[in-house]
Amino acid sequence: MKNGLAVVSVIGKPNIGKSTLINRICISRDAIVHEEPMITRDRKYYKANWNDKYFYILDTGGIDFKPIDKLSVQIVLQSKKAIDEADLIVFLVNLKESLSSTDEDISKLIRKTNKKIIFAGNKWDSDKGNYFTEDYLKLGFGYPIKISAMHGIGVGDLLDEIVQNINVESNNIKISEEEIIPSISILGKPNVGKSTLFNTLINEERVIVNDIEGTTRDSIDSIIKFNNNEYRFIDTSGLKKDKIVEEDLEYYSKLRTIKTIEKSDIGLVLIDSTSEASRQDINIVDTCLKSGTSVIVIFSKTDKATIEEIDNNFKKFEKKLRFADYIPFLKVSALTRKGMAGIFKNIDMVLSERSKSISDSDLMSVFKEKEKNSYIYKDNKKYKLKFIRQIGTNPPYFIVFSNMDIYRIANIKNFIEKTIRQNFGFTGTPINFKYKY
């Protein structure tokens, strides 16, 4: 059980349509689907609902018992953890392919768990076709439920079987309750240490950590409790510099990360302290701010750099980030855990800043006082703020009434934002404005 709901793990060899089935069941496109095998590398939870019965369905990497590299081994380990966590297992095979030794090995593995197993055969696109259904009877699970994840054939029958075999006593839990848990995305360029930080934060090897660039291709999340507060941490794929031509898989991974940013309250932007920050690091911060996501910059891998290198790169990045000098900076080593305590302290502080609400009287008092000593002119006309009110939080949102149209007047807009930040803070958080005249 996870958060009171049953966990259903989809298990099978690589490239048989597990992620396509997840997308079909969840009526979404959250799981990355691609012809290249082993795209799903970590285990990821998705909420599902069938006939008002809720459960989690767990997507996993394809199991290959003859791995050719370290990454393949880690994918197998992640799948085994998914089996251990499952209340029910869906064993998926490809009916267009004959029974393989891998299918046989997987069947032996899951049979040892003594957990309820639902056997399903994918890629049954029509009654007319060359299928190997009889071949799979050798596994001893009987006839598989014939489905086509791509076209939706038989998926309803599979879901009926799933909900009949899970504990639904706790289904009075409202799924929407989790939405109040703040979401913290871990962001940065490829191979900057995001997954290592994620694993250290949740104190579990949920995400594969590997030296190969681009290991995390989907966004992986985990809800943890710290000092009686709950947080949803999300590991993301690395954001590379935009290219004229991108492989489609890389493109969709980037879209997933951007979508994650838009749904997050805070982005922990990791900067490799062993090298000078690049334009792409600035772009990632800028993407967060434009999405209304607060930012905490974390200089990672401090155990691999000298104090002089860290301080030098730190100061250079501060200069590059002058346009957002309200963002807090941290220096952290996820491997040695040095500086980790500051992450939760800053997260709580920034969450408080995001939800802060300022009264009309306090706002007007500050700007009236400011007008006594500050004068701004546009085309020989003196700017005058008539009224300002905060109309939203998370992130903060203000409406400004003036004696002129200031939408395109940068120095006046900067003056208003600077005045608010100097007097009311909003550390780490973008501020949105609506202008009226």
Side-chain angles (χ1 to χ4, degrees):
M1 302 291 284
K2 175 182 170 63
N3 299 325
L5 298 179
V7 174
V8 178
S9 292
V10 181
I11 302 297
K13 65 184 181 182
N15 206 29
I16 57 168
K18 294 185 294 296
S19 295
T20 303
L21 177 61
I22 298 292
N23 283 336
R24 173 67 62 178
I25 290 174
C26 298
I27 318 175
S28 72
R29 290 292 181 268
D30 285 341
I32 297 179
V33 178
H34 198 270
E35 292 177 358
E36 183 183 332
M38 298 169 71
I39 294 308
T40 303
R41 297 171 171 184
D42 310 298
R43 64 195 197 279
K44 183 172 182 180
Y45 301 92
Y46 298 89
K47 297 189 194 79
N49 171 24
W50 183 249
N51 292 335
D52 290 328
K53 294 180 179 180
Y54 295 98
F55 57 95
Y56 281 104
I57 192 157
L58 212 168
D59 195 13
T60 63
I63 298 178
D64 185 353
F65 290 97
K66 298 178 182 178
I68 59 174
D69 53 33
K70 180 182 176 182
L71 181 59
S72 301
V73 173
Q74 290 178 306
I75 293 172
V76 172
L77 293 176
Q78 289 292 312
S79 295
K80 287 183 177 179
K81 286 186 177 182
I83 293 171
D84 292 339
E85 291 181 27
D87 298 294
L88 182 147
I89 296 169
V90 174
F91 178 24
L92 195 65
V93 296
N94 181 0
L95 295 181
K96 286 187 175 180
E97 297 177 355
S98 60
L99 177 68
S100 68
S101 59
T102 302
D103 293 314
E104 292 179 312
D105 290 338
I106 294 172
S107 69
K108 293 175 184 176
L109 174 67
I110 60 178
R111 203 186 296 275
K112 292 178 183 178
T113 66
N114 293 319
K115 296 184 178 183
K116 176 65 180 179
I117 298 168
I118 296 176
F119 188 34
N122 192 26
K123 305 195 178 182
W124 181 274
D125 299 326
S126 70
D127 291 333
K128 298 177 182 179
N130 187 23
Y131 301 107
F132 293 86
T133 310
E134 305 292 332
D135 208 16
Y136 286 94
L137 293 177
K138 299 174 185 176
L139 296 177
F141 295 112
Y143 280 96
I145 299 173
K146 294 178 286 190
I147 69 168
S148 170
M150 179 67 71
H151 302 293
I153 299 171
V155 175
D157 294 334
L158 174 61
L159 286 166
D160 284 340
E161 189 72 15
I162 288 174
V163 297
Q164 286 174 15
N165 286 279
I166 58 175
N167 179 8
V168 295
E169 292 178 0
S170 59
N171 268 268
N172 58 345
I173 295 173
K174 293 182 179 179
I175 295 296
S176 60
E177 287 179 359
E178 276 194 359
E179 301 306 320
I180 64 173
I181 300 173
S183 293
I184 321 295
S185 56
I186 302 175
L187 307 163
K189 295 186 298 187
N191 206 29
V192 76
K194 296 182 297 298
S195 295
T196 302
L197 178 66
F198 180 67
N199 286 336
T200 303
L201 284 167
I202 68 173
N203 198 28
E204 179 196 354
E205 293 297 324
R206 258 288 304 282
V207 176
I208 295 168
V209 180
N210 196 287
D211 292 334
I212 301 171
E213 184 180 288
T215 302
T216 302
R217 294 190 174 179
D218 210 343
S219 297
I220 312 298
D221 67 281
S222 187
I223 297 173
I224 66 171
K225 183 174 284 188
F226 182 81
N227 286 344
N228 295 320
N229 294 320
E230 286 189 316
Y231 309 84
R232 178 184 285 105
F233 282 97
I234 310 165
D235 188 23
T236 64
S237 59
L239 284 169
K240 295 184 179 180
K241 184 178 179 181
D242 288 338
K243 297 182 292 186
I244 295 176
V245 178
E246 280 183 313
E247 291 185 14
D248 56 347
L249 176 60
E250 185 177 283
Y251 171 75
Y252 287 115
S253 292
K254 183 171 73 176
L255 286 185
R256 296 290 189 275
T257 299
I258 292 173
K259 184 178 178 181
T260 298
I261 291 173
E262 292 171 349
K263 292 182 177 180
S264 296
D265 297 289
I266 297 176
L268 303 181
V269 180
L270 269 64
I271 309 294
D272 190 339
S273 61
T274 64
S275 58
E276 185 176 344
S278 68
R279 181 62 203 171
Q280 179 61 0
D281 293 310
I282 300 294
N283 289 340
I284 294 170
V285 172
D286 195 42
T287 298
C288 289
L289 298 178
K290 287 179 178 177
S291 300
T293 302
S294 301
V295 173
I296 299 171
V297 169
I298 296 179
F299 273 77
S300 65
K301 302 183 180 181
T302 55
D303 56 297
K304 296 184 178 181
T306 65
I307 295 176
E308 291 76 16
E309 286 176 325
I310 296 170
D311 288 342
N312 188 39
N313 292 325
F314 188 95
K315 290 175 182 177
K316 287 181 179 179
F317 190 65
E318 267 190 322
K319 289 181 180 179
K320 292 179 180 179
L321 210 62
R322 279 194 299 258
F323 69 93
D325 57 4
Y326 50 86
I327 292 176
F329 282 48
L330 297 175
K331 299 174 185 177
V332 168
S333 169
L335 286 177
T336 66
R337 303 190 71 90
K338 186 176 181 180
M340 291 292 295
I343 293 180
F344 283 101
K345 181 179 179 181
N346 276 268
I347 286 173
D348 289 340
M349 179 265 292
V350 171
L351 287 173
S352 176
E353 294 289 287
R354 279 180 66 83
S355 60
K356 185 187 295 181
S357 184
I358 313 300
S359 68
D360 295 351
S361 58
D362 286 345
L363 285 167
M364 289 304 298
S365 175
V366 163
F367 278 95
K368 284 180 180 178
E369 186 65 29
K370 195 78 173 177
E371 280 187 358
K372 293 179 181 178
N373 304 306
S374 300
Y375 304 97
I376 303 178
Y377 286 85
K378 175 64 177 176
D379 298 330
N380 296 320
K381 184 178 181 180
K382 182 181 177 181
Y383 169 73
K384 183 175 179 61
L385 185 145
K386 294 181 178 178
F387 185 69
I388 182 169
R389 166 174 289 171
Q390 185 174 357
I391 57 175
T393 58
N394 296 302
Y397 195 3
F398 294 85
I399 185 168
V400 180
F401 293 88
S402 307
N403 65 334
M404 64 178 73
D405 183 5
I406 63 170
Y407 180 74
R408 300 184 187 280
I409 307 177
N411 65 323
I412 297 179
K413 292 196 297 182
N414 290 339
F415 162 76
I416 293 171
E417 180 172 347
K418 187 176 180 180
T419 300
I420 289 175
R421 291 195 183 278
Q422 285 176 340
N423 289 273
F424 304 109
F426 296 109
T427 304
T429 298
I431 300 176
N432 295 327
F433 291 94
K434 186 174 184 179
Y435 304 101
K436 294 283 188 178
Y437 72 102

